[in-house]
Amino acid sequence: MAVSDYLRVVTATPAKPALAERLRRIWETPAGIGGWISTVDHKQIGIRYIITAFAFLIAGGVEALIFRLQLAGPNLHLLTPEQYDQLFTMHGMTMIFLYAGPVLSGFSNYLWPLLLGARDMALPRLNALSYWIYLCAGIFLYLAFAFGFGPNDGWFNYVPVAARAYDGGPNIDFYSLGMILLGLSTTVGSINFVVTFLRLRAPGMSINRVPILAWGTLTASAANIFAIPAVSLAFFLLWMDRNAGTHFFDVATGGQPLLWQHLFWMFGHPWVYAIVLPAMGMVSDGLPVFCRRPLVGYTPVALATVATMVLGFGVWVHHMFATGLPSVSLSFFSAASIIIALPSAVGVFAWIATIWAGKPVFTTAFMFFASFIVLFTIGGVSGYMTGAVPVDWQLTDTYFVVAHIHYVLIGINVFPVVGATYFWFPKFTGRMMDERLGRWNFWTMFLGFNLGFFPMHISGLLGMPRRVYTFADGMGWDWLNLITTLGSFVFAIGVLLFVINILVSHRRGRIAGNNPWDAPTLEWSTSSPPPAYNFVVIPTVASRHPLWEDRLEDNDRQQRSEVNRGLALDQGRESLGTTALDAELDVILKMPKDSYTPVILALTLTTILTGLVLHLWWLAIVGALATGIDIIAWLWPDATLGETAEPARG
Amino acid sequence: MVALTWGVLLVSIAVTIAIAVLLAVGLWHRPGIKPSAPGAALEVQRTQGGLRWVWIGVAVSSLILLGSVAWTMQVLARVTSPATQPALTIEVTGRQWWWQIRYLSADPSRSFTTANEIHIPAGVPVLFRLVGGDVIHSFWVPALFGKTDVIPGQTNETWLQARAPGVYQGQCTEYCGLQHARMGFLLIADTPAAFQDWWAHQLQSPAQAMSPEVNVGRSSFNVHCGSCHAVRGTDAAGVLGPDLSHLMTHRTLAAGMLANDAANLTHWISDPQALKPGSMMPKPDITAAELAEIHSYVDTLN
């Protein structure tokens, strides 16, 4: 059918229950285990991502608490060096790969179609695949740890210490193949976000009306598509060196240890921006709601998001300042590493200006968003300091860098994520989180975090190296480490309060209604939680804040956003495709139904890698064949998706 | 170098305080709105002019950042090489988990190897050639700067200068395996005269005429320890472990981990794995008597 056929379909208001019921039957995943496994509903996938990521956050946190006990004082013997090495490696790997990226994918997955006025993500089965691969990769890596073979050379896994000659067990093989598997998840997820951004926005949502969260995730996704191949290659070359007799990193036969570092950090640095830019976007969207005004400087903030990511590809050598590279090279990367603070400054000033020019509403979500600005600044300035090469030569590989990375990761990822949870939990579940418990949650986390991590700046300046299982007494580090350990436990209590608040509020929170915060964007026009089809009719958008248009004095133009009238698109699972820049009507998109092919593909891919890591080559071949069969089944032309040839029509 | 560090630190502190103050004023310069029941409509308004402050903030930040870049480039150019030609070159190799130090001379009979304790003349720059060994380590004396990685397959260079004589702690600063935490070293800056005396002393072999117990100890040492350790001028010529020629002049054992006293030395020889698990020195298969004899010999290695 052509677009014109659909324009003759009746436009409807949500007051008509028949349309809603029709859409519900088309879109809702049936109850039961089959539906649960095969669903492609972005909201269910998003929730799964978030819950799984929070589970890994807790696992990574417990790992840290254990080794903080070992480091509470000098010369302690709670852990052996091998135990410490696995714990600190698992901690870093879990937090950076299994929590920080996926939690933002989860929020973005849930929210994007609702923010953009669509019924689903562009590629629903790929969406499900990205989650299932993530889960399989996480289990793969944690099974290694459970059996005593956890990765143990740091999350950064430098060679030669990670080569077979120096780490003979399967630990690093599990790490290498697990990361390749996880990279597939992130890559397909990123592709999905990019296509969705360009194709599925509601009519009228030109790119200058898109929520900043969408800009953040889009930027991160585009970057990931370029960056992940570098690290997947690095791990693949390492696996080959360790198992197939190659010599990419083997010095004796002409290999280069620094090759690993370049490939790893060419990915690693863009990755750390990918795990904060969507979170910054969440603050840019959430903070203005609690300042009762639109964000100051939308365009500079959106452009700064992209600029940060682009510059982020040009700084990776700042992880390698002490490796003996020529000064010319160091100068370039040092300058870039200092200048990259500039687009971040745009954001910081925009948020402060929004607060200053607005009227704050001190909800728990707002407190997390507002405090993030200070934590961001502290993390940013410690990064600025280490960006200066001669200063970095004193600070690199000391606890100063540990302080920096935790201020940026906890400050710019965890705090916004917790704030985002308080903000969007009502939309996800229909209930408010408890504000009184939220205050306790906030203060425990804020004070515990600063108590734990601020002293690390000082222990680093006093010369304490990082990645050490113990330290000597008499160095002046004893008190600092004890305070850090205490602070980390206080912070953990804060996280516990957060989890308790989620569990309690889910059962007994106040009913939220559609728009508990009186917020401006499209997701707040639906019920809480939204129906499976998101919108009864596809909305039309005329500004960045559709639900506030009536009340903003300067918005006296004729065009208004319309959420109550629009295309019904009820001839099956359908969403609207619009043009990339101006979101003009373009095409009706046929969306796939629930399917088992994604979860099966995740399992067959995991089977291949399990065969490789255990040297069971037959298993790898079986997995590869099963993968081929599943992909064929997935791609088999489906008439309901318009993939078969239609007879010519007059 | 020190000035730059202080400079960026003070800028950082000032920026943090400034942002915190701006945030605090922004939060409290006007009464806020009390959160009310879910769904209640709250006022919404948009005043103009906020963007100007963003540009002012960005402009100020740009000046600070560009100034920092310029200053950094200047300091980097200056510290890459020392002001005067280094008086001396010392070759350092990082090994799991100790430091091999070689003093080279144009006259080969004046070259020697030692471990974990470095002496330099104070007041002059000294060049260090960092020769990669097994895995990546990093050579750092916190009080004297110069942190540089020791990478297999390449030779890096750094230079240090101690303004005054003294004892400076050093440590490995790149994760290198199980005992990365216990891979320290001492760097001792001597007056130039004392340094020359020290060098001359390093070239000497241990005394030959010894008590019977020490002689037995020497043979025992050569058998049980000589395949890894070397003592200059004796039959012990192992290169897998630290050179022990003048061990008793060292202040520490096990790469800076233990004070070099009788109890620690006995304990270290008899069971290194108990003190530094995973280290490359195995527990020797010796009787208590042999241990005492070896210890009495090692005691003479001054």
Side-chain angles (χ1 to χ4, degrees):
Chain A
M1 292 175 76
V3 173
S4 53
D5 293 334
Y6 282 82
L7 288 179
R8 282 192 270 111
V9 173
V10 63
T11 57
T13 68
K16 289 217 177 116
L19 176 58
E21 178 56 27
R22 216 170 124 69
L23 288 168
R24 190 192 66 75
R25 267 186 280 112
I26 292 169
W27 282 92
E28 203 169 72
T29 297
I33 188 80
W36 194 86
I37 293 176
S38 64
T39 187
V40 296
D41 180 342
H42 71 97
K43 296 181 289 298
Q44 291 197 41
I45 293 170
I47 297 284
R48 275 176 213 178
Y49 252 112
I50 294 172
I51 292 177
T52 309
F54 280 157
F56 281 121
L57 175 70
I58 292 170
V62 168
E63 286 150 10
L65 291 177
I66 296 174
F67 67 69
R68 273 319 314 176
L69 287 174
Q70 162 67 14
L71 292 169
N75 299 315
L76 296 180
H77 297 289
L78 190 72
L79 297 172
T80 66
E82 174 64 29
Q83 289 171 333
Y84 172 82
D85 289 345
Q86 287 198 31
L87 282 170
F88 95 83
T89 305
M90 292 299 293
H91 168 74
M93 179 202 79
T94 301
M95 293 307 202
I96 294 178
F97 292 126
L98 297 176
Y99 159 72
V103 77
L104 298 180
S105 292
F107 274 93
S108 293
N109 246 318
Y110 193 111
L111 290 169
W112 267 42
L114 292 162
L115 292 173
L116 303 178
R119 291 235 168 96
D120 203 331
M121 297 287 291
L123 303 161
R125 286 173 298 180
L126 215 59
N127 205 12
L129 178 69
S130 74
Y131 172 74
W132 289 117
I133 295 181
Y134 158 54
L135 181 66
C136 287
I139 292 175
F140 184 87
L141 292 162
Y142 265 81
L143 278 177
F145 182 50
F147 283 110
F149 301 123
N152 56 356
D153 284 320
W155 80 282
F156 52 99
N157 205 50
Y158 282 0
V159 295
V161 78
R164 175 74 67 193
Y166 297 99
D167 203 336
N171 314 45
I172 303 302
D173 298 318
F174 273 102
Y175 192 27
S176 304
L177 297 175
M179 286 304 301
I180 291 172
L181 187 60
L182 188 64
L184 292 174
S185 165
T186 317
T187 303
V188 303
S190 298
I191 291 171
N192 208 359
F193 284 119
V194 173
V195 177
T196 305
F197 184 96
L198 294 174
R199 211 76 181 98
L200 260 79
R201 307 196 310 269
M205 188 176 284
S206 47
I207 59 166
N208 62 337
R209 292 176 181 160
V210 166
I212 304 285
L213 168 58
W215 278 109
T217 310
L218 170 74
T219 309
S221 301
N224 282 336
I225 293 168
F226 285 103
I228 285 170
V231 74
S232 299
L233 178 67
F235 276 113
F236 182 61
L237 297 182
L238 178 62
W239 186 84
M240 296 262 282
D241 267 21
R242 289 174 55 89
N243 294 278
T246 56
H247 300 286
F248 295 103
F249 305 115
D250 174 15
V251 170
T253 43
Q256 296 271 6
L258 285 188
L259 175 63
W260 170 271
Q261 294 191 30
H262 282 296
L263 286 173
F264 185 83
W265 289 117
M266 266 184 219
F267 151 80
H269 198 86
W271 177 252
V272 302
Y273 285 108
I275 59 181
V276 297
L277 287 172
M280 291 161 64
M282 297 201 287
V283 173
S284 293
D285 290 337
L287 185 77
V289 174
F290 299 111
C291 296
R292 307 313 300 161
R293 58 150 295 136
L295 178 70
V296 170
Y298 169 97
T299 303
V301 170
L303 292 176
T305 305
V306 176
T308 302
M309 196 71 243
V310 171
L311 287 173
F313 274 90
V315 300
W316 83 87
V317 171
H318 70 219
H319 301 272
M320 299 166 63
F321 278 159
T323 56
L325 291 169
S327 290
V328 163
S329 165
L330 300 184
S331 306
F332 171 81
F333 286 97
S334 179
S337 301
I338 294 174
I339 295 300
I340 201 170
L342 207 51
S344 296
V346 170
V348 169
F349 290 116
W351 297 316
I352 292 180
T354 306
I355 292 174
W356 199 299
K359 281 201 175 173
V361 186
F362 281 88
T363 59
T364 306
F366 179 69
M367 291 169 77
F368 278 98
F369 293 151
S371 61
F372 138 91
I373 297 173
V374 173
L375 302 178
F376 184 138
T377 303
I378 297 176
V381 295
S382 59
Y384 148 83
M385 283 179 66
T386 52
V389 173
V391 181
D392 186 71
W393 283 337
Q394 278 299 88
L395 298 177
T396 191
D397 255 291
T398 69
Y399 261 77
F400 190 88
V401 180
V402 183
H404 164 68
I405 62 180
H406 287 89
Y407 268 87
V408 290
L409 290 171
I410 297 181
I412 317 181
N413 179 296
V414 176
F415 270 68
V417 162
V418 176
T421 307
Y422 278 90
F423 184 50
W424 276 299
F425 184 91
K427 179 53 55 180
F428 296 173
T429 64
R431 292 179 181 274
M432 308 297 288
M433 287 181 73
D434 186 274
E435 281 292 309
R436 191 133 158 266
L437 190 51
R439 291 286 192 276
W440 280 94
N441 173 189
F442 171 75
W443 286 111
T444 339
M445 276 182 70
F446 185 78
L447 293 172
F449 168 67
N450 284 291
L451 194 64
F453 291 91
F454 196 84
M456 290 182 181
H457 293 106
I458 304 173
S459 37
L461 285 164
L462 292 179
M464 181 172 175
R466 58 187 297 205
R467 299 159 180 163
V468 291
Y469 76 94
T470 188
F471 56 93
D473 57 0
M475 303 296 293
W477 305 333
D478 298 5
W479 273 108
L480 294 165
N481 275 282
L482 183 60
I483 294 170
T484 290
T485 298
L486 291 171
S488 63
F489 275 87
V490 173
F491 179 68
I493 293 173
V495 175
L496 182 64
L497 291 176
F498 175 56
V499 172
I500 291 174
N501 201 349
I502 290 177
L503 295 172
V504 165
S505 303
H506 194 251
R507 295 195 149 273
R508 302 200 310 222
R510 287 163 87 177
I511 300 295
N514 286 15
N515 194 354
W517 308 117
D518 191 18
T521 41
L522 286 177
E523 77 272 32
W524 303 105
S525 71
T526 67
S527 60
S528 301
Y533 49 85
N534 293 348
F535 301 96
V536 178
V537 295
I538 304 295
T540 314
V541 167
S543 76
R544 293 171 192 151
H545 15 261
L547 306 185
W548 278 358
E549 284 165 4
D550 294 338
R551 293 182 277 168
L552 289 170
E553 302 91 39
D554 60 340
N555 200 5
D556 55 3
R557 56 194 120 150
Q558 297 288 47
Q559 276 194 319
R560 285 291 159 103
S561 300
E562 182 55 70
V563 298
N564 291 323
R565 283 179 65 80
L567 293 174
L569 296 187
D570 60 349
Q571 304 299 308
R573 288 199 180 197
E574 294 168 343
S575 195
L576 207 54
T578 56
T579 59
L581 286 181
D582 291 318
E584 290 164 356
L585 221 67
D586 193 23
V587 70
I588 309 293
L589 298 168
K590 304 271 200 187
M591 312 297 277
K593 294 195 272 294
D594 299 339
S595 166
Y596 287 97
T597 45
V599 65
I600 293 173
L601 184 56
L603 291 170
T604 63
L605 291 169
T606 307
T607 305
I608 297 175
L609 295 176
T610 304
L612 291 178
V613 81
L614 298 176
H615 288 199
L616 297 172
W617 313 120
W618 61 267
L619 186 62
I621 292 173
V622 164
L625 288 171
T627 297
I629 294 170
D630 182 276
I631 290 178
I632 291 172
W634 180 321
L635 295 176
W636 198 269
D638 182 347
T640 62
L641 296 180
E643 290 172 345
T644 53
E646 287 184 35
R649 286 175 187 226
Chain B
M1 167 78 229
V2 175
L4 177 65
T5 309
W6 276 111
V8 293
L9 180 60
L10 290 173
V11 166
S12 299
I13 294 172
V15 165
T16 304
I17 293 174
I19 297 293
V21 165
L22 285 173
L23 178 65
V25 176
L27 288 171
W28 287 298
H29 73 138
R30 226 190 289 198
I33 299 176
K34 217 167 130 41
S36 48
L42 301 174
E43 62 169 289
V44 166
Q45 43 83 36
R46 167 160 55 193
T47 53
Q48 297 302 325
L51 196 53
R52 174 168 36 113
W53 295 106
V54 175
W55 298 131
I56 293 175
V58 168
V60 172
S61 307
S62 304
L63 289 173
I64 297 173
L65 291 171
L66 288 170
S68 304
V69 170
W71 191 6
T72 299
M73 297 303 126
Q74 200 199 22
V75 174
L76 179 58
R78 203 158 24 89
V79 302
T80 306
S81 342
T84 57
Q85 267 289 82
L88 171 66
T89 300
I90 301 174
E91 200 179 86
V92 172
T93 300
R95 312 276 291 272
Q96 283 178 320
W97 289 281
W98 58 280
W99 299 91
Q100 178 182 297
I101 322 287
R102 286 174 32 88
Y103 285 77
L104 302 168
S105 168
D107 175 0
S109 69
R110 282 187 55 83
S111 301
F112 69 93
T113 303
T114 182
N116 297 329
E117 212 169 89
I118 306 175
H119 283 246
I120 62 170
V124 290
V126 176
L127 187 69
F128 286 85
R129 294 184 65 239
L130 306 172
V131 179
D134 43 16
V135 301
I136 299 180
H137 302 275
S138 195
F139 177 80
W140 188 38
V141 181
L144 298 182
F145 319 118
K147 178 187 300 161
T148 307
D149 290 351
V150 186
I151 301 175
Q154 66 189 67
T155 300
N156 285 340
E157 284 185 356
T158 188
W159 65 274
L160 304 182
Q161 180 168 337
R163 271 208 231 116
V167 179
Y168 301 91
Q169 298 232 331
Q171 57 204 46
C172 177
T173 333
E174 181 62 67
Y175 176 75
C176 54
L178 286 171
Q179 286 295 344
H180 163 62
R182 301 295 203 189
M183 189 171 157
F185 60 94
L186 288 183
L187 185 132
I188 296 157
D190 297 318
T191 63
F195 177 71
Q196 290 305 327
D197 288 343
W198 175 82
W199 190 313
H201 183 77
Q202 295 299 308
L203 300 172
Q204 291 168 2
S205 311
Q208 289 302 317
M210 309 222 191
S211 73
E213 194 201 9
V214 168
N215 280 328
V216 171
R218 184 188 330 124
S219 311
S220 213
F221 176 92
N222 291 347
V223 165
H224 292 285
C225 318
S227 47
C228 293
H229 293 285
V231 177
R232 191 179 175 92
T234 73
D235 289 338
V239 294
L240 297 173
D243 184 296
L244 301 179
S245 301
H246 301 278
L247 182 66
M248 298 320 286
T249 64
H250 288 201
R251 291 151 213 249
T252 61
L253 301 171
M257 186 179 150
L258 305 163
N260 187 358
D261 58 44
N264 280 338
L265 184 54
T266 308
H267 197 173
W268 175 250
I269 297 173
S270 67
D271 196 356
Q273 292 299 316
L275 291 167
K276 198 168 172 180
S279 74
M280 300 298 185
M281 180 161 152
K283 189 174 152 78
D285 185 16
I286 54 179
T287 65
E290 285 170 316
L291 172 63
E293 286 151 7
I294 290 174
H295 188 168
S296 69
Y297 167 64
V298 173
D299 254 348
T300 69
L301 298 177
N302 282 303

